[in-house]
Amino acid sequence: MIFAILLSLSTSVLTVNTADPPVEEFFASNHTNNWAVLVDASRFWFNYRHVANVLSIYRSVKRLGIPDSHIILMVADDMACNPRNPRPATVFNNANQNINVYGDDVEVDYRGYEVTVENFIRVLTGRLPPSTPRSKRLLSDERSNILVYMTGHGGDGFLKFQDSEEISNVELADAFQQMWQKRRYHEIFFMIDTCQAESMFQKFYSPNILAVASSKVGEDSLSHHVDPAIGVYVIDRYTYYALEFLENVQPGSKKTMDQFFKVCPKFQCQSTVSVRTDLFQRDPKKTIITDFFGSVRNVELLTETLNLQDSTAEFSCSKDKCPEEKLQKTSVQLLSYAKQFPMPN
Amino acid sequence: MSTAKSGQVGRGGTSSDRYMNTAKSGQVGRGGTSSKEPQRKYTSRGKKMIVELKFMYILVRGEEWDDTFNEELFVKPFDSGQALFHFQFTTLWNASTAEPDSFTHYRLFPKALGDVLVKYQVQELHLSLTQGLWRYEKWGYPPVDAPPGVELWVWFLPTASNIDKTWSDLVNALSGLFCASLNFMDGKSTVLPRWSFRPMGLASEYYSFDSRFMRYSALPKEIVCTENLTPWKKLLPCASKVGLATLLNAMKLYDSYYSSLGIHVRPVCRMETCTEQSIELKQTLSVVFDPTISSNGQQNWQLRSLFGQPLSSQCPLASISKVYLDKTQLQSTDATVTLYPEPDEVMNFTRGGEKLTYAVWDIGRQISQHQQLNLALHYNRKIHFGEINPPPVYAQRFITGFGLEKGGITSIIYNNLDTNLTAIYMETIPWFLRLYFSSITITNHGIRVKPYKIHYIPGKDRTRQYQLELVFRLRPHSITKISMQFERAFLKWTEYPPDANHGFYVNSAIISTVLPNAYNYTACPQTSSVFGDSIRDNSTEFFLRLHTETLLVSLPTPDFSMPYNVICLACTVVAIAFGSIHNLTTRRFIAVDPDKKTGLIQKIKDKFRRKKTEEKVPELKASESIDQTKSDIKTKKEEENGKKKGIVVQKLDG
């Protein structure tokens, strides 16, 4: 009896104490929606691993709650339905074929020849032609947290797009500054997995950007392992270990960005993961990973009932309304099917 | 209740699913809290009553709905061992794009597509995304014909203005809707075919002969993969959760010989009297599997092995849910086959002079009796590949010539019928293959054939494609050959795609003709929307459209690594030349004794000698200068000796 009372008291005390941290976290990050721009800039079958990289991140981001309408996925070449793929409609990031990262409900927004530097910068800055459909636009606002992930072949100060053009770190920094001036983001997390990746974020000068790169200037990012059935490398080291970390993250996880930065130490990655936090105002130790990889769903439960009117009855063709309109509409004209073959036989 | 709710959930995407879930959980929460207030508490029995009343209401009003949905599967095993599975999902709606006010209150018709049709004033839209080539000689004629890649042809409303701009906006909207690069269908790759693509639905005669209202474009290079299937499935009323669409597993569909997605929108007669029009949306998916490959040489197949799972549900929103299997060729061979399960109905009928037998299964009945429909076909003998009778008319096309300067295109059309046929042959050739109109020849076993009509629009560099339409006669039991010559152009170096050495694609040619009989013909008749109506088809002529192969042409392609090579080479040459001249002009030459041996050992010895002389020098501080001059004299003497013996001049850095 006494023990039960003590238990209930202690649990009530605990509930009182744990009420404050959730409230703090609720208001910690000021973003209201999440977007992701995932870019694979390499073409050709031997760059299979870059497509597997970007699809792995796509899968994690989708699993943690960002919907397809908020993801811009750019894949420069088709690996899944490539005639060289022994298992069509699948892309694996592991030789033991555990996860098909291509999935059942993938939606690629920019594919093939559409993945160009111009399209990428237009997507970021929002300067797209008026006929561009919604699924190809980054409709972010000043309260959006955006995850930008890029992978491909890179060098000191540039990233190669499809073997024919490059984007330089200055261009990228200017694009982010344009976004800042147009208030198109609240915070950006920039993740890049290429050789000499650090150079890509060295020129950033806009606030609220947190960046991580898989290698320092002068170092190469290496790929992880070969799938003998396909004959090419299937994933890069940094993304492989990042994905391992992300697979253990659930939508309600409290893991921080700081833990994410420690993901691939030198003995695993053989390149040094470098991080840029000086432009970021919050402390990465207190920033949770789902701020960028997941999606904010602040749900409020109402206890009051709402009475909704049955509006379907109004629009149905009731006897007093419609016959007049119908009379106006019907012009007694016999319609016929068009003749398919216009030539005389 | 489940029917209405499943309809709503099915139409939404993943995001709306989540919103629905949160709303539901909210309701649950509310139920929990409101249990404290006894007045507002609903018993579970009361809830069921309300739900049943709503269900009855929906059923009663069901007959008054403006739209209907049918799902059908047509199966045809071929003599060559493969089997065709043609899924057809048809939605009919009492609305018309000519009256945008009627295009409201979407129920079964997908809103995403409907909004696009209304906004861009589309009367008819035909889009196909295909992977693979349809083998006419082995498989006959498909229910819906499509070339490899993407093909889009659209008839706009007569009231549409500025059709070029509307077309480019429409193409962009569709590219976002279907995740395909349709935005490349710009003015450079769009043509206005004059005779080949008449409207398939209701149209006035004046309108259908005016091709200014229509646009045609094809992209042979487009790939089709799961990313195109996903949005296509989301347009279905039941999505891929229940009904025939549950069989659509991308990993199996794209591991096939031929896989084609189609969207066909056209106005049709609402009733037999045909005074009003409805809009018909036909979503088709044709896939040709080879069971011998997937099941270790066994020709037997079942739905579970081909699609990964049997059919275990019926879309409750569908009015007709049926599976048809064409047994005609199975009966004619000496093979005895068993169909499992027993068909609900076997229909024997004639269509266009051909006797056909279809086995029909009603999905609803099968699922209510057996909980699943795992259609299976068992052959009672081993595989036997015999000679296959080709269809009446089929064609082939290929590139001729050699080298990178000139080339030719040749098409061969076979006519196996007893009668003359009139055929329309349409070609669209990109501008960089400069066609010579004078080289277009049509021959029939060596005899030159004069075409009845020719429609030719020459291409313009970087602006327009070459467009050719020929109308000519196909003699009975003959082979007609059409050939033309072209010259390959040089492109500017920025116009090459990133994989320039792959080559450039040429659209497939389109041959339209009318057949007098329905041998191997499986397409729906023009006047009906449902596949099952082909059983009652009593037309005497059958319109046929064939697509030939697409062509892959190499253009003279520069070596794109040359700028890098040239820079390296030039820099090396400059470094060597400049370096040498710099050396020659700025260095001082000093004579060297050739007897003096140079080498590593000698250098070490010299160093030791210098050390010894250095050690000696501090001792002789007073007479340093004298010794130095003495050593200088010595070296000078040595040099003079060296000069006499034949000088070896050694360069020293100046």
Side-chain angles (χ1 to χ4, degrees):
Chain A
M1 249 303 269
I2 302 165
F3 182 70
I5 295 165
L6 278 172
L7 247 181
S8 59
L9 274 174
S10 58
T11 48
S12 61
V13 163
L14 280 169
T15 50
V16 163
N17 284 341
T18 51
D20 288 330
V23 170
E24 250 183 44
E25 280 164 22
F26 192 88
F27 292 112
S29 165
N30 292 324
H31 73 284
T32 57
N33 55 76
N34 284 78
W35 288 79
V37 178
L38 310 172
V39 179
D40 153 54
S42 307
R43 174 171 276 275
F44 302 120
W45 180 247
F46 53 81
N47 291 322
Y48 182 100
R49 60 188 189 279
H50 296 141
V51 174
N53 283 352
V54 77
L55 288 174
S56 311
I57 301 287
Y58 171 78
R59 184 176 174 275
S60 306
V61 147
K62 221 167 142 171
R63 189 178 54 85
L64 293 173
I66 303 187
D68 271 312
S69 52
H70 282 219
I71 301 176
I72 309 258
L73 178 62
M74 298 173 120
V75 177
D77 201 1
D78 167 53
M79 300 298 165
C81 288
N82 196 313
R84 285 164 116 159
N85 192 348
R87 295 169 292 259
T90 59
V91 172
F92 294 109
N93 61 357
N94 205 321
N96 56 13
Q97 294 169 33
N98 275 345
I99 318 167
N100 171 18
V101 286
Y102 195 56
D104 267 340
D105 56 347
V106 59
E107 286 185 22
V108 180
D109 301 302
Y110 288 85
R111 66 178 194 174
Y113 296 141
E114 290 175 290
V115 177
T116 57
V117 174
E118 184 190 340
N119 280 350
F120 175 61
I121 302 242
R122 279 186 186 278
V123 162
L124 286 182
T125 54
R127 291 156 63 184
L128 290 159
S131 54
T132 317
R134 277 182 76 100
S135 61
K136 287 182 164 178
R137 287 180 187 259
L138 181 65
L139 300 165
S140 55
D141 53 30
E142 58 190 13
R143 290 262 154 253
S144 306
N145 273 12
I146 308 180
L147 164 72
V148 180
Y149 175 80
M150 300 181 77
T151 182
H153 287 289
D156 190 0
F158 67 92
L159 172 67
K160 192 166 73 158
F161 265 70
Q162 290 211 53
D163 225 17
S164 64
E165 50 180 2
E166 303 158 352
I167 184 170
S168 65
N169 49 2
V170 176
E171 274 175 3
L172 192 56
D174 286 342
F176 283 151
Q177 176 66 7
Q178 266 197 54
M179 287 174 79
W180 175 252
Q181 288 182 353
K182 288 183 177 181
R183 298 192 189 184
R184 282 170 66 79
Y185 72 90
H186 172 63
E187 282 168 354
I188 287 184
F189 178 53
F190 180 73
M191 195 169 150
I192 180 161
D193 188 355
T194 66
C195 300
Q196 306 194 50
E198 191 194 28
S199 60
M200 286 307 284
F201 65 59
Q202 279 174 339
K203 302 270 180 182
F204 287 172
Y205 55 96
S206 320
N208 291 353
I209 301 183
L210 185 62
V212 66
S214 60
S215 56
K216 281 197 177 309
V217 174
E219 282 179 356
D220 284 342
S221 278
L222 302 172
S223 44
H224 195 252
H225 65 274
V226 161
D227 183 353
I230 296 177
V232 286
Y233 284 92
V234 288
I235 190 133
D236 279 335
R237 282 179 186 259
Y238 180 65
T239 309
Y240 179 80
Y241 291 107
L243 188 68
E244 234 179 53
F245 179 88
L246 288 172
E247 284 289 302
N248 293 329
V249 172
Q250 301 307 323
S253 170
K254 297 283 168 264
K255 292 193 178 172
T256 63
M257 293 305 290
D258 200 48
Q259 291 170 338
F260 185 68
F261 293 152
K262 296 192 179 112
V263 142
C264 205
K266 184 102 190 224
F267 70 91
Q268 275 180 336
C269 256
Q270 294 175 14
S271 58
T272 323
V273 172
S274 60
V275 172
R276 185 161 177 190
T277 51
D278 59 316
L279 295 167
F280 195 63
Q281 285 167 1
R282 289 191 287 150
D283 185 5
K285 292 195 182 102
K286 289 189 186 157
T287 312
I288 50 172
I289 197 159
T290 50
D291 273 354
F292 294 105
F293 283 90
S295 190
V296 177
R297 302 283 174 166
N298 292 321
V299 176
E300 194 183 325
L301 295 179
L302 298 173
T303 53
E304 55 202 53
T305 50
L306 301 165
N307 285 321
L308 298 170
Q309 289 176 348
D310 179 20
S311 51
T312 54
E314 293 170 18
F315 296 113
S316 69
C317 220
S318 59
K319 285 172 192 173
D320 33 332
K321 275 191 195 172
C322 283
E324 296 166 6
E325 292 169 13
K326 270 186 185 167
L327 277 172
Q328 284 166 11
K329 279 180 194 173
T330 49
S331 50
V332 187
Q333 184 194 13
L334 270 176
L335 304 162
S336 60
Y337 286 98
K339 197 175 165 201
Q340 291 271 275
F341 193 70
M343 299 291 148
N345 281 8
Chain B
M1 172 179 133
S2 60
T3 54
K5 271 212 172 149
S6 66
Q8 287 165 25
V9 169
R11 199 127 35 94
T14 49
S15 55
S16 63
D17 274 342
R18 291 181 181 276
Y19 285 124
M20 287 288 291
N21 287 336
T22 50
K24 276 183 190 165
S25 61
Q27 285 172 16
V28 165
R30 189 164 18 105
T33 51
S34 69
S35 61
K36 290 176 190 169
E37 300 168 73
Q39 307 104 300
R40 297 230 293 242
K41 190 177 171 184
Y42 293 111
T43 57
S44 58
R45 203 186 282 177
K47 275 185 188 165
K48 271 190 190 170
M49 279 288 290
I50 293 165
V51 154
E52 278 167 14
L53 278 172
K54 278 187 189 164
F55 184 49
M56 294 295 293
Y57 182 61
I58 289 164
L59 271 183
V60 160
R61 286 207 50 194
E63 292 166 14
E64 295 177 24
W65 286 127
D66 289 336
D67 44 9
T68 50
F69 174 68
N70 308 314
E71 54 176 17
E72 295 157 301
L73 168 61
F74 172 64
V75 183
K76 185 170 179 184
F78 297 118
D79 280 342
S80 55
Q82 289 96 15
L84 163 71
F85 291 83
H86 175 78
F87 293 82
Q88 185 162 305
F89 302 94
T90 319
T91 308
L92 285 155
W93 191 22
N94 292 348
S96 165
T97 46
E99 297 158 24
D101 295 336
S102 64
F103 249 78
T104 48
H105 317 300
Y106 292 88
R107 191 179 76 111
L108 297 173
F109 199 91
K111 186 173 195 297
L113 187 61
D115 281 346
V116 166
L117 296 174
V118 168
K119 180 160 184 207
Y120 298 110
Q121 298 168 297
V122 169
Q123 176 160 318
E124 277 195 31
L125 184 140
H126 300 273
L127 172 66
S128 67
L129 295 106
T130 313
Q131 179 205 59
L133 184 67
W134 182 270
R135 312 270 172 197
Y136 292 95
E137 310 91 62
K138 288 199 265 184
W139 302 339
Y141 298 123
V144 176
D145 200 63
V150 167
E151 187 191 55
L152 172 67
W153 56 283
V154 174
W155 277 88
F156 290 94
L157 289 174
T159 50
S161 57
N162 198 354
I163 290 183
D164 283 328
K165 182 171 182 313
T166 318
W167 164 257
S168 71
D169 289 345
L170 169 68
V171 148
N172 272 304
L174 289 175
S175 86
L177 189 54
F178 293 107
C179 293
S181 311
L182 296 179
N183 44 330
F184 287 123
M185 289 178 170
D186 53 5
K188 276 190 278 193
S189 59
T190 312
V191 293
L192 280 74
R194 194 158 160 201
W195 300 307
S196 295
F197 285 93
R198 296 265 141 259
M200 278 173 72
L202 297 174
S204 71
E205 208 172 299
Y206 171 72
Y207 170 78
S208 62
F209 273 88
D210 193 350
S211 62
R212 283 178 301 147
F213 293 113
M214 79 91 73
R215 296 288 186 273
Y216 170 87
S217 183
L219 297 173
K221 196 169 187 209
E222 275 301 299
I223 53 103
V224 183
C225 209
T226 315
E227 65 224 36
N228 306 110
L229 183 65
T230 309
W232 185 93
K233 281 199 283 194
K234 285 186 182 167
L235 296 178
L236 297 171
C238 288
S240 54
K241 296 184 163 51
V242 285
L244 273 176
T246 50
L247 293 176
L248 303 178
N249 178 3
M251 288 196 281
K252 298 280 187 182
L253 285 179
Y254 292 108
D255 195 6
S256 58
Y257 269 60
Y258 172 89
S259 168
S260 173
L261 290 173
I263 308 265
H264 301 274
V265 177
R266 61 176 188 146
V268 292
C269 293
R270 199 176 291 187
M271 280 167 296
E272 299 239 352
T273 49
C274 216
T275 46
E276 286 169 352
Q277 49 177 318
S278 299
I279 192 159
E280 174 201 87
L281 166 65
K282 206 184 278 190
Q283 285 181 253
T284 59
L285 198 156
S286 301
V287 59
V288 175
F289 285 115
D290 194 338
T292 51
I293 291 177
S294 50
S295 47
N296 284 334
Q298 288 282 321
Q299 209 174 355
N300 307 332
W301 54 262
Q302 47 173 331
L303 286 184
R304 196 195 299 270
S305 63
L306 292 177
F307 291 99
Q309 58 178 18
L311 188 56
S312 52
S313 56
Q314 183 204 7
C315 180
L317 301 165
S319 315
I320 299 173
S321 284
K322 287 203 176 150
V323 178
Y324 302 92
L325 190 139
D326 187 345
K327 279 177 68 173
T328 325
Q329 281 173 331
L330 296 174
Q331 284 177 335
S332 61
T333 59
D334 56 351
T336 42
V337 296
T338 28
L339 288 170
Y340 176 79
E342 280 294 312
D344 292 327
E345 204 183 333
V346 176
M347 294 180 169
N348 289 305
F349 60 98
T350 36
R351 187 184 184 194
E354 296 294 316
K355 286 186 184 163
L356 299 166
T357 313
Y358 280 13
V360 185
W361 289 262
D362 184 271
I363 297 175
R365 199 189 299 172
Q366 289 288 326
I367 288 177
S368 59
Q369 285 175 359
H370 307 290
Q371 273 75 53
Q372 67 173 30
L373 173 59
N374 186 18
L375 189 60
L377 187 67
H378 282 269
Y379 287 84
N380 298 338
R381 52 131 177 88
K382 279 185 99 171
I383 307 169
H384 160 72
F385 295 119
E387 206 179 286
I388 300 162
N389 285 329
V393 177
Y394 61 100
Q396 291 168 353
R397 191 174 72 141
F398 44 87
I399 290 267
T400 57
F402 57 90
L404 289 175
E405 191 196 348
K406 294 181 185 171
I409 297 176
T410 301
S411 292
I412 300 180
I413 307 176
Y414 299 83
N415 178 10
N416 295 332
L417 288 173
D418 294 331
T419 54
N420 283 322
L421 288 178
T422 311
I424 305 175
Y425 177 82
M426 175 175 146
E427 275 253 41
T428 48
I429 295 173
W431 65 265
F432 43 80
L433 300 178
R434 299 201 175 109
L435 187 67
Y436 288 105
F437 180 70
S438 54
S439 65
I440 298 174
T441 50
I442 311 172
T443 52
N444 189 326
H445 292 280
I447 307 164
R448 199 71 197 253
V449 172
K450 192 168 170 238
Y452 296 137
K453 290 195 186 186
I454 302 177
H455 172 71
Y456 176 68
I457 296 182
K460 203 167 164 189
D461 273 9
R462 298 175 183 88
T463 315
R464 202 169 57 210
Q465 285 182 312
Y466 287 85
Q467 188 183 338
L468 173 67
E469 271 179 281
L470 300 167
V471 184
F472 52 89
R473 181 171 61 175
L474 299 174
R475 286 179 176 276
H477 293 291
S478 69
I479 298 171
T480 311
K481 188 167 133 177
I482 305 149
S483 62
M484 53 198 86
Q485 304 297 313
F486 61 78
E487 203 179 61
R488 297 172 213 228
F490 276 108
L491 294 180
K492 295 183 185 167
W493 72 286
T494 48
E495 288 171 347
Y496 287 96
D499 54 352
N501 287 299
H502 182 80
F504 294 81
Y505 282 88
V506 179
N507 295 353
S508 58
I510 296 142
I511 298 156
S512 319
T513 185
V514 173
L515 297 173
N517 60 22
Y519 183 61
N520 264 329
Y521 193 77
T522 48
C524 282
Q526 192 184 12
T527 49
S528 74
S529 309
V530 179
F531 197 87
D533 284 347
S534 54
I535 293 166
R536 285 177 281 279
D537 183 24
N538 44 15
S539 43
T540 49
E541 44 184 45
F542 302 91
F543 176 72
L544 175 69
R545 187 177 285 138
L546 296 176
H547 287 91
T548 61
E549 296 90 334
T550 54
L551 302 171
L552 185 58
V553 174
S554 301
L555 286 183
T557 310
D559 182 357
F560 290 102
S561 62
M562 277 316 285
Y564 169 75
N565 295 343
V566 165
I567 291 171
C568 286
L569 188 69
C571 290
T572 313
V573 166
V574 165
I576 290 173
F578 178 72
S580 309
I581 293 172
H582 185 265
N583 272 341
L584 284 170
T585 51
T586 55
R587 284 191 181 173
R588 189 161 55 84
F589 293 100
I590 299 174
V592 163
D593 182 10
D595 287 334
K596 214 176 168 186
K597 290 174 196 169
T598 51
L600 187 60
I601 300 164
Q602 195 60 31
K603 280 184 189 169
I604 294 169
K605 283 184 184 170
D606 283 339
K607 275 192 184 169
F608 275 117
R609 271 190 216 150
R610 271 187 217 153
K611 271 195 180 171
K612 282 180 188 170
T613 52
E614 279 170 9
E615 282 169 9
K616 280 181 186 172
V617 162
E619 294 171 5
L620 307 161
K621 278 184 189 173
S623 56
E624 223 179 78
S625 56
I626 301 163
D627 279 2
Q628 273 186 348
T629 49
K630 275 187 188 171
S631 60
D632 280 345
I633 294 161
K634 269 188 190 173
T635 51
K636 274 187 188 172
K637 274 186 185 170
E638 281 171 8
E639 277 174 10
E640 281 168 7
N641 290 337
K643 274 184 194 172
K644 286 174 189 172
K645 284 178 187 175
I647 303 163
V648 172
V649 177
Q650 188 185 22
K651 287 180 272 186
L652 286 174
D653 285 324

